[in-house]
């Protein structure tokens, strides 16, 4: 089984900064701590309304961090131009609505083929590894493959937010999507809403190569510090992965 990578999303360090404006707390400092705590990559979402991460953060993350940067971005001309300027290691295409509190669902890779095709092609042509953030659904996986994206990130939000049988059903759909996606040649990532109590069953899915986790880690850091919250997440991921071998 492949090693499971952890991408730490530092958006919500910037959310706390933006609550007051100014420079504190600094998401770049958080990214450096994440690197020391076992993160394999740094993930940041530059939203159209700049509610947390700023253009300057992306600039500094690109220059000051040695880990691969995964830029989450809406498929707009503005974001495409920014991605081409900074050339992050990876770009994850997400849907974006101004009024939403967080990314509420996956992108409709099937319904938006014509809008996404040039974005995937241009990013890929610039050597940026493109991933599409999609729901755990075979039609979406087929559509991602048709678009030529090498990677998909499966949305784990509904799994995390549900309980009981509902959660079991979401988990089954994610397992099925991971296995089907890998069988058609896609690299499988997953993320959104994951915490200590939900990460294990996702980390145990053998086809998943990377998890992107942010809000929980930054929240838990208030109590235990960022380094400790990331180390504990890494430990739980490894434990679940090893138990599944
Ligand atoms: N993956 C994607 C594509 C996301 O949009 C987000 C949220 O920005 C995450 C992962 C991380 O989600 P969370 O902050 O809930 O851990």
């Amino acid at each position: 089984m492949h090693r499971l990578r952890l991408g730490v999303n530092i958006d919500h360090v910037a959310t706390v900064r933006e609550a007051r404006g100014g420079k504190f707390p600094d998401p770049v400092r958080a990214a450096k701590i994440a690197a020391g705590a076992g993160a394999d990559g740094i993930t940041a979402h530059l939203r159209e309304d700049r509610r947390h991460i700023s253009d300057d953060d992306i600039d500094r993350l690109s220059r000051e961090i040695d880990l691969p940067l995964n830029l989450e971005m809406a498929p707009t001309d503005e974001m495409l131009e920014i991605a081409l300027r900074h050339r992050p290691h990876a770009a994850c295409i997400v849907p974006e609505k101004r009024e939403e509190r967080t990314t509420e669902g996956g992108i409709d890779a099937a319904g938006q083929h014509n809008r996404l095709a040039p974005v995937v092609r241009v990013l890929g042509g610039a050597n940026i590894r493109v991933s599409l953030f999609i729901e755990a659904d075979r039609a979406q996986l087929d559509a991602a493959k048709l678009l030529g994206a090498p990677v998909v990130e499966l949305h784990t939000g509904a799994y995390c937010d549900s309980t009981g049988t509902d959660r079991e059903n979401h988990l089954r759909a994610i397992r099925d999507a991971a296995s089907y996606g890998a069988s058609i040649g896609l690299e499988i990532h997953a993320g959104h809403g994951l915490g200590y109590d939900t990460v294990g069953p996702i980390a145990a899915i053998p086809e998943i190569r990377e998890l992107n986790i942010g809000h929980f880690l930054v929240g838990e850091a208030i109590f235990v510090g960022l380094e400790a919250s990331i180390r504990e997440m890494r430990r739980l991921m490894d434990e679940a992965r090893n138990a599944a071998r």
Side-chain angles (χ1 to χ4, degrees):
M1 211 188 307
H2 295 283
R3 182 176 178 277
L4 182 59
R5 295 192 299 269
L6 170 62
V8 172
N9 182 316
I10 42 101
D11 292 352
H12 296 299
V13 176
T15 301
V16 177
R17 177 190 63 195
E18 293 307 308
R20 287 291 169 91
K23 292 188 181 327
F24 182 84
D26 178 13
V28 178
R29 181 175 170 199
K32 289 179 181 165
I33 290 171
D40 301 289
I42 299 298
T43 295
H45 185 177
L46 185 65
R47 291 190 73 106
E48 188 191 5
D49 62 8
R50 308 298 198 272
R51 69 176 68 160
H52 39 51
I53 292 293
S54 67
D55 298 65
D56 183 53
D57 292 331
I58 296 297
D59 189 40
R60 289 181 55 226
L61 286 166
S62 308
R63 284 188 287 108
E64 296 180 32
I65 301 298
D66 292 331
L67 290 181
L69 177 65
N70 173 29
L71 177 67
E72 291 177 355
M73 53 175 271
T76 62
D77 289 344
E78 183 200 17
M79 290 303 149
L80 192 54
E81 188 269 314
I82 291 169
L84 292 176
R85 186 148 29 93
H86 292 291
R87 307 233 168 182
H89 166 75
C92 180
I93 312 295
V94 300
E96 203 173 290
K97 292 194 224 101
R98 263 169 206 263
E99 66 279 11
E100 70 190 354
R101 261 198 290 174
T102 181
T103 312
E104 283 165 0
I107 201 151
D108 184 6
Q112 294 198 45
H113 179 94
N114 292 345
R115 179 175 177 212
L116 294 172
V119 179
V120 172
R121 192 177 53 244
V122 170
L123 290 171
N127 249 341
I128 299 168
R129 200 154 166 79
V130 183
S131 121
L132 296 175
F133 188 44
I134 58 169
E135 298 296 327
D137 175 83
R138 286 188 180 214
Q140 293 297 337
L141 289 153
D142 286 335
K145 181 75 186 168
L146 191 65
L147 280 163
V151 183
V152 291
E153 181 165 326
L154 301 176
H155 199 313
T156 52
Y159 153 77
C160 292
D161 289 343
S162 55
T163 54
T165 318
D166 260 5
R167 182 178 278 182
E168 281 307 311
N169 290 339
H170 285 301
L171 182 58
R172 198 168 313 116
I174 293 167
R175 279 199 195 110
D176 176 72
S179 139
Y180 178 70
S183 80
I184 60 171
L186 293 165
E187 181 175 318
I188 312 294
H189 299 177
H192 210 285
L194 292 167
Y196 293 159
D197 62 337
T198 47
V199 78
I202 300 295
I205 299 173
E207 294 86 2
I208 294 183
R209 304 284 296 270
E210 178 176 308
L211 300 181
N212 284 296
I213 309 180
H215 182 262
F216 177 87
L217 290 173
V218 173
E220 183 67 5
I222 293 168
F223 306 106
V224 302
L226 189 58
E227 173 151 5
S229 73
I230 294 170
R231 282 197 190 284
E232 176 62 4
M233 187 61 82
R234 179 79 258 174
R235 189 189 70 73
L236 291 167
M237 286 165 57
D238 292 343
E239 183 180 80
R241 199 74 166 182
N242 290 334
R245 271 176 216 277

